[in-house]
Amino acid sequence: MSSFIEFKHVSFRYSEEQPWVLKDVNFKINVDEWVAIIGHNGSGKSTIAKLINGLLFPQEGQIIVDGIEVKQDTVWEIRQRVGMVFQNPDNQFVGTTVRDDVAFGLENRGIAREEMVTRINSSLASVSMNDFLLHEPHRLSGGQKQRVAIASVLAISPTVIILDEATAMLDPRGRAEIMETINAVKHERNLALVTITHDLTEIVQADRVIVMNNGKVWLESTPRNLFRQKDELQSIGLDIPFVAKFADELKQLDVPLNHQPLNHEELLEELWTYHSKM
Amino acid sequence: MSNSFIIGQYVPGDSFIHRLDPRTKIAIIFTFVIVVFLANSVASYGLLTAFSIGSALLTRIKLSYIAKGLTPVWFLIVFTFILHLIVTKDGEVLFQIASYPIYSGAIIQGAAISLRFFLLILVTSLLTLTTTPIEITDAIETLLGPLKKIKFPVHELALMMSISLRFIPTLMQETEKISKAQASRGVDFKTGPIRDRVQAVVPLLVPLFVSAFKRAEELAMAMEARGYQGGEGRTKLRELKIEGRDLFVISLFLLIIIGLVMTRA
Amino acid sequence: MDISFKNVSYIYQPNTPFEHRALQNLSFDIKSGSYVAIVGHTGSGKSTLLQHLNGLLRPTDGQVQIGNFTLSPDEKLKNVMDLRKKVGVVFQYPEHQLFEETVAKDIGFGPKNFGEAEQEINKRLYEVIEAVQLPESLLERSPFDLSGGQMRRVAIAGVLAMAPEVLVLDEPTAGLDPRGQKDMMDMFYQLHKQKGLTTILVTHSMEDALRYADHVIILNKGTKYMEGTPLDVFTRKQELNEVQLDIPEIIEFLNKVEKRFAINLSYQGQSLAEVAQQVVEKLKGKNYE
């Protein structure tokens, strides 16, 4: 697999007087991969998102997206490939209606009107918002607005979608909606997905996890391996999900586990194996 | 949200007037504002009144609702009439009110001016009642289009208008939220001397500005991330189309203007 | 202060096309000194209910009793300021209400409005920043220079400085990272115990309701859907599912274990370690049978 996004020795700070937000960050993200970037608030994880599509530029190091280095004069090429969904559902909704909002990105790229209509309909269908075409933003729930934001990104057919804490301001129902939507989208379209979060229950389905701490890559791992490191994660302000905590308790009781379980079913399976061996 | 907020606002519908191109509506209203001053005979006033009332009926919005929307200006209309009664001294004295003579010319002039005023308000309110704010914005953008040649920022102006429209409800909700939060910290917005009440606005305005600027910053970033780089090379989803009914209405209106000129005294 | 709602209904914009019934015939009691969680989806009426507790809204129908204060449809509450002094509300994202030049001034804003003496305010200032774990060095800084988490603590300190008897919390941990969330909830729990507050937590989190509250009220579409102790409410899975509310994960998992292994296990508020031990023992025991 070829790498699609690459960070080479990237360091960033907002100004010379301020401390480094990122320091010597290196990682690769492959085509068609789902990578979760986690870390506590202020760990530098959201800065990574803004660097990928040229909303910020690093002072040191290089960022390569699809073979192009992210620089002032390549941002428009980069943004053609990178779609971004931000945290606040209200502050990224530009249009006066759902349809106008999805159209915004297409209008910016000078897409012809007939093509626009087709793309709006198909991308809204992907997030199950096609019944809300003429709704105004203040009549939508937070989860619905974020689904529209995802549709807006899908409409420009990017090769990677970054969700920068897109669920942080939502209620549990909205969160579930978004997780369901991105699972469906990942399944339906060929794209790389970068989800930035501090909620470890949201990373279970990711292929790989990059853990950020104090502006550095603290660990790269799979969700399964990550969940074995309860104490280490808690020491940097993160928490493991219930299933991993329960598995940890079982280990304390000398119950052998074949795999680190990721969900209830796998945990029940481990208990079943243990039970039938006795 | 208070009830007065509803009045004068867009009423969704699918009437003939609703479906007219917003540019047609704006152009006609603009012309109407001018030609209304041409009327100076019973017949010419009759023509304009028929046109206005006819249009109002065609919107299929309840006349009582439209009339309610005009409540704040009724007072002005009546006031204009009374002012004319007192000031104008044309024609013969018809009768006296509390030994004050009322001239026939005063009644005629007062009625004419009030009617003119009423028609103006009625017709312009039909625009906002049957056209969404965003349609009006689109129409203004195309009507001002030629000004792009002299580097007038038409596109930016239109985008600004549409973003403001988009954020009005959001900021209203925010205002309500913050004023409640401050009220619960003991701010009294409603009673006390004026000086205190003016001071009470500070804890409301500062957070509102802080949040509005934060929103602006985030919105700008989101727009940039979505590929916005100014009006150049942009296409538009919303398109305005002049159709048969627009041409018909414009022709009809031209006939009315001709009729108006011919029926002038 | 005891709080009671008697057949309370609230309608927004009555007699307009936008009429909306937010609360419907709602009745419940909250005992002084208890920790009550109010749980429901967005739009279930939680925020309307909360505003009644502070006299920001008056019921359209029914009656709200908060200590000696009575909110009724026909009469405006004369001493609403006294009520607000006794009931502190931490609104969602409370950092949005900060406005003063310094942290100290912002914290003192509430008590100053309620006419507390300068000296008293100063004394409270140091108490509350300790309670919310803010360093003294921040007192003279502008609140807008602080991090998000610190700003929230300043806002909360501002409410605590009013020395309320009832503390109402509306999703106080929204947007914080896991450690921040836990620290914040533990802090409120400690305050609740130490000061003998009546605490009302409005939340989406079943986990928090289970961990901290001694009474739970579930709202659905403006009506009271369920009420009881957390253990009582959260074991009624079917009913919660009907309104698409989840049950706390530990209870949900135990239900699955019971089903899969045909054993009886009940959740009585044990720690996770105890639960794991019980599960393992039951499984062992089952084999010996």
Side-chain angles (χ1 to χ4, degrees):
Chain A
M1 265 199 289
S2 59
S3 70
F4 182 72
I5 298 175
E6 190 173 357
F7 270 50
K8 292 182 188 164
H9 305 288
V10 171
S11 297
F12 174 83
R13 58 181 166 185
Y14 282 93
S15 71
E16 289 203 359
E17 302 91 67
Q18 278 173 316
W20 293 99
V21 180
L22 295 179
K23 190 73 197 158
D24 195 26
V25 171
N26 293 286
F27 63 80
K28 286 179 186 173
I29 293 172
N30 296 321
V31 180
D32 204 17
E33 199 181 16
W34 178 349
V35 174
I37 301 179
I38 60 171
H40 61 81
N41 289 353
S43 60
K45 58 187 193 302
S46 281
T47 307
I48 291 180
K50 290 176 187 132
L51 287 167
I52 295 176
N53 77 343
L55 290 167
L56 298 172
F57 299 97
Q59 278 82 13
E60 288 168 25
Q62 257 188 330
I63 298 160
I64 313 285
V65 176
D66 201 8
I68 307 166
E69 187 181 351
V70 182
K71 281 200 274 192
Q72 202 81 52
D73 51 348
T74 56
V75 287
W76 304 113
E77 277 174 83
I78 300 289
R79 285 176 197 161
Q80 196 64 46
R81 292 164 172 79
V82 181
M84 223 166 132
V85 179
F86 296 88
Q87 182 181 29
N88 192 319
D90 262 315
N91 299 353
Q92 55 188 315
F93 204 112
V94 186
T96 40
T97 65
V98 167
R99 192 183 61 169
D100 289 308
D101 192 58
V102 180
F104 181 74
L106 300 168
E107 293 175 329
N108 290 338
R109 290 171 173 81
I111 310 282
R113 196 176 179 281
E114 300 74 54
E115 170 78 14
M116 253 195 246
V117 174
T118 327
R119 289 214 208 169
I120 291 170
N121 290 335
S122 79
S123 61
L124 281 174
S126 295
V127 301
S128 312
M129 283 295 288
N130 32 354
D131 290 338
F132 296 83
L133 214 53
L134 296 178
H135 272 61
E136 293 161 338
H138 61 276
R139 306 221 179 279
L140 300 177
S141 71
Q144 289 172 329
K145 280 182 226 176
Q146 290 301 65
R147 272 149 68 194
V148 174
I150 295 175
S152 302
V153 160
L154 289 177
I156 57 160
S157 2
T159 10
V160 57
I161 295 185
I162 306 174
L163 290 108
D164 185 5
E165 300 200 54
T167 60
M169 294 181 73
L170 304 181
D171 61 13
R173 210 186 239 180
R175 266 173 217 206
E177 274 172 33
I178 298 305
M179 291 317 287
E180 213 173 285
T181 304
I182 59 176
N183 266 309
V185 164
K186 181 85 180 91
H187 201 75
E188 183 186 301
R189 314 199 177 200
N190 246 351
L191 32 73
L193 201 56
V194 179
T195 52
I196 295 171
T197 179
H198 54 227
D199 186 348
L200 268 75
T201 58
E202 287 181 3
I203 68 168
V204 174
Q205 281 136 316
D207 301 313
R208 210 149 53 85
V209 188
I210 296 174
V211 186
M212 295 298 298
N213 188 41
N214 288 331
K216 290 192 173 139
V217 175
W218 185 75
L219 182 74
E220 278 187 64
S221 168
T222 60
R224 218 181 274 283
N225 286 328
L226 185 71
F227 290 161
R228 292 204 178 100
Q229 316 196 26
K230 175 180 158 215
D231 296 335
E232 292 86 340
L233 282 171
Q234 281 177 347
S235 77
I236 61 162
L238 294 172
D239 200 12
I240 54 171
F242 168 81
V243 171
K245 279 185 192 154
F246 199 91
D248 200 61
E249 294 297 345
L250 290 178
K251 275 181 243 164
Q252 306 281 327
L253 296 167
D254 295 322
V255 176
L257 301 178
N258 296 329
H259 287 290
Q260 175 73 22
L262 281 178
N263 51 39
H264 287 185
E265 284 58 46
E266 289 184 12
L267 183 53
L268 282 173
E269 220 39 62
E270 291 294 337
L271 283 172
W272 185 259
T273 315
Y274 169 70
H275 168 241
S276 46
K277 269 188 194 150
M278 273 189 316
Chain B
M1 270 180 268
S2 66
N3 295 348
S4 61
F5 190 67
I6 311 162
I7 294 160
Q9 277 243 331
Y10 174 68
V11 179
D14 196 30
S15 74
F16 183 81
I17 304 282
H18 278 88
R19 278 180 293 158
L20 281 179
D21 189 289
R23 286 171 299 180
T24 309
K25 289 190 252 188
I26 290 181
I28 287 181
I29 285 161
F30 206 73
T31 326
F32 185 87
V33 170
I34 298 165
V35 299
V36 94
F37 292 97
L38 289 178
N40 65 354
S41 66
V42 176
S44 55
Y45 271 112
L47 200 56
L48 287 178
T49 313
F51 170 76
S52 310
I53 303 284
S55 307
L57 286 173
L58 276 176
T59 63
R60 296 216 209 117
I61 299 169
K62 270 193 200 149
L63 286 183
S64 63
Y65 184 87
I66 300 177
K68 224 168 104 192
L70 298 177
T71 324
V73 290
W74 279 130
F75 166 76
L76 273 173
I77 292 170
V78 173
F79 180 75
T80 313
F81 184 69
I82 293 174
L83 200 70
H84 270 277
L85 285 191
I86 299 168
V87 177
T88 313
K89 293 189 170 60
D90 273 354
E92 53 200 278
V93 178
L94 286 182
F95 52 87
Q96 296 200 327
I97 298 174
S99 79
Y100 201 90
I102 301 293
Y103 293 84
S104 64
I107 294 198
I108 292 167
Q109 267 203 34
I113 303 289
S114 303
L115 180 62
R116 196 183 276 171
F117 196 40
F118 168 73
L119 293 180
L120 276 179
I121 305 285
L122 175 64
V123 171
T124 35
S125 76
L126 290 184
L127 173 71
T128 51
L129 284 166
T130 63
T131 324
T132 59
I134 191 70
E135 277 179 319
I136 298 180
T137 308
D138 285 338
I140 291 175
E141 182 174 7
T142 31
L143 287 174
L144 294 184
L147 293 181
K148 277 184 199 156
K149 289 214 176 75
I150 57 163
K151 298 258 164 88
F152 187 79
V154 176
H155 159 74
E156 284 76 8
L157 191 77
L159 188 67
M160 254 161 56
M161 279 173 66
S162 89
I163 288 176
S164 321
L165 290 170
R166 144 76 187 90
F167 275 92
I168 286 171
T170 310
L171 291 176
M172 280 184 26
Q173 280 169 6
E174 183 123 321
T175 310
E176 196 183 322
K177 232 185 73 190
I178 296 173
S179 70
K180 283 192 163 150
Q182 303 299 29
S184 95
R185 291 211 284 167
V187 176
D188 190 350
F189 294 105
K190 292 192 182 108
T191 55
I194 298 283
R195 211 178 67 101
D196 289 3
R197 267 193 271 179
V198 171
Q199 265 181 5
V201 179
V202 176
L204 177 61
L205 284 187
V206 173
L208 256 181
F209 272 98
V210 170
S211 116
F213 279 107
K214 191 172 168 234
R215 280 185 197 283
E217 208 172 302
E218 287 186 21
L219 186 72
M221 191 170 269
M223 284 170 66
E224 218 186 298
R226 289 170 67 180
Y228 180 72
Q229 29 179 340
E232 203 122 322
R234 247 177 141 251
T235 44
K236 277 184 77 77
L237 172 70
R238 292 175 167 280
E239 72 180 357
L240 300 174
K241 244 200 212 132
I242 297 286
E243 293 190 51
R245 57 174 161 265
D246 294 290
L247 296 176
F248 171 77
V249 169
I250 293 169
S251 321
L252 185 73
F253 189 65
L254 286 175
L255 285 178
I256 288 175
I257 296 177
I258 295 171
L260 195 66
V261 174
M262 289 180 18
T263 52
R264 262 165 70 89
Chain C
M1 283 201 293
D2 289 334
I3 295 168
S4 86
F5 275 54
K6 284 194 199 90
N7 309 319
V8 171
S9 298
Y10 189 83
I11 303 173
Y12 285 100
Q13 294 180 290
N15 307 319
T16 72
F18 306 98
E19 181 174 299
H20 170 62
R21 194 175 274 273
L23 293 179
Q24 206 163 343
N25 206 13
L26 188 63
S27 301
F28 60 83
D29 291 297
I30 293 176
K31 284 255 165 337
S32 184
S34 58
Y35 193 132
V36 177
I38 296 176
V39 183
H41 288 296
T42 310
S44 59
K46 288 179 299 181
S47 115
T48 309
L49 187 161
L50 177 151
Q51 292 180 49
H52 281 84
L53 294 171
N54 217 236
L56 291 164
L57 295 177
R58 268 187 299 144
T60 316
D61 220 337
Q63 203 182 61
V64 179
Q65 189 76 37
I66 306 160
N68 298 323
F69 303 92
T70 309
L71 300 175
S72 62
D74 350 281
E75 215 187 329
K76 240 184 161 169
L77 189 63
K78 280 183 212 83
N79 43 357
V80 70
M81 283 297 159
D82 297 324
L83 170 65
R84 288 182 191 160
K85 191 174 153 181
K86 292 202 165 131
V87 180
V89 183
V90 176
F91 285 90
Q92 214 174 47
Y93 299 103
E95 58 274 24
H96 292 174
Q97 72 196 33
L98 301 176
F99 74 100
E100 283 279 17
E101 292 152 55
T102 67
V103 169
K105 274 191 190 169
D106 213 296
I107 295 175
F109 180 68
K112 205 173 128 204
N113 284 328
F114 292 119
E116 299 295 348
E118 198 77 23
Q119 224 182 349
E120 171 68 16
I121 295 177
N122 249 314
K123 202 184 103 205
R124 285 188 194 171
L125 189 59
Y126 289 93
E127 278 171 26
V128 294
I129 60 163
E130 198 193 315
V132 300
Q133 295 143 29
L134 275 176
E136 265 181 46
S137 58
L138 294 183
L139 281 178
E140 292 310 313
R141 294 263 295 276
S142 159
F144 300 110
D145 288 344
L146 309 182
S147 75
Q150 287 173 325
M151 281 170 82
R152 179 157 314 175
R153 282 167 195 275
V154 172
I156 291 168
V159 174
L160 295 177
M162 293 160 27
E165 292 172 32
V166 179
L167 191 59
V168 183
L169 310 168
D170 187 4
E171 293 284 349
T173 63
L176 300 178
D177 59 24
R179 186 198 281 161
Q181 290 183 9
K182 190 170 180 302
D183 286 355
M184 186 85 35
M185 289 311 295
D186 286 348
M187 176 193 94
F188 284 125
Y189 191 68
Q190 220 175 1
L191 280 167
H192 171 77
K193 288 280 171 212
Q194 264 170 16
K195 309 214 167 199
L197 296 172
T198 307
T199 306
I200 300 171
L201 171 70
V202 175
T203 185
H204 289 123
S205 165
M206 301 297 171
E207 315 293 334
D208 283 347
L210 176 65
R211 188 171 310 142
Y212 299 102
D214 36 51
H215 195 80
V216 178
I217 296 169
I218 306 240
L219 287 188
N220 185 47
K221 294 183 181 149
T223 59
K224 184 173 77 182
Y225 183 69
M226 287 164 88
E227 185 180 5
T229 64
L231 287 177
D232 178 32
V233 167
F234 291 137
T235 41
R236 284 145 74 183
K237 187 181 176 183
Q238 205 101 48
E239 278 166 86
L240 286 167
N241 275 350
E242 259 163 53
V243 292
Q244 287 155 37
L245 283 168
D246 298 326
I247 57 178
E249 203 172 356
I250 188 161
I251 297 178
E252 194 193 345
F253 182 68
L254 281 183
N255 284 343
K256 287 182 183 167
V257 173
E258 284 188 313
K259 223 175 174 180
R260 177 87 188 248
F261 299 98
I263 51 176
N264 274 322
L265 270 168
S266 64
Y267 183 68
Q268 307 282 354
Q270 313 92 308
S271 70
L272 194 60
E274 288 166 338
V275 170
Q277 195 161 12
Q278 282 167 0
V279 169
V280 170
E281 267 163 25
K282 285 267 182 181
L283 290 186
K284 279 185 189 156
K286 200 162 182 293
N287 256 28
Y288 295 129
E289 270 163 24

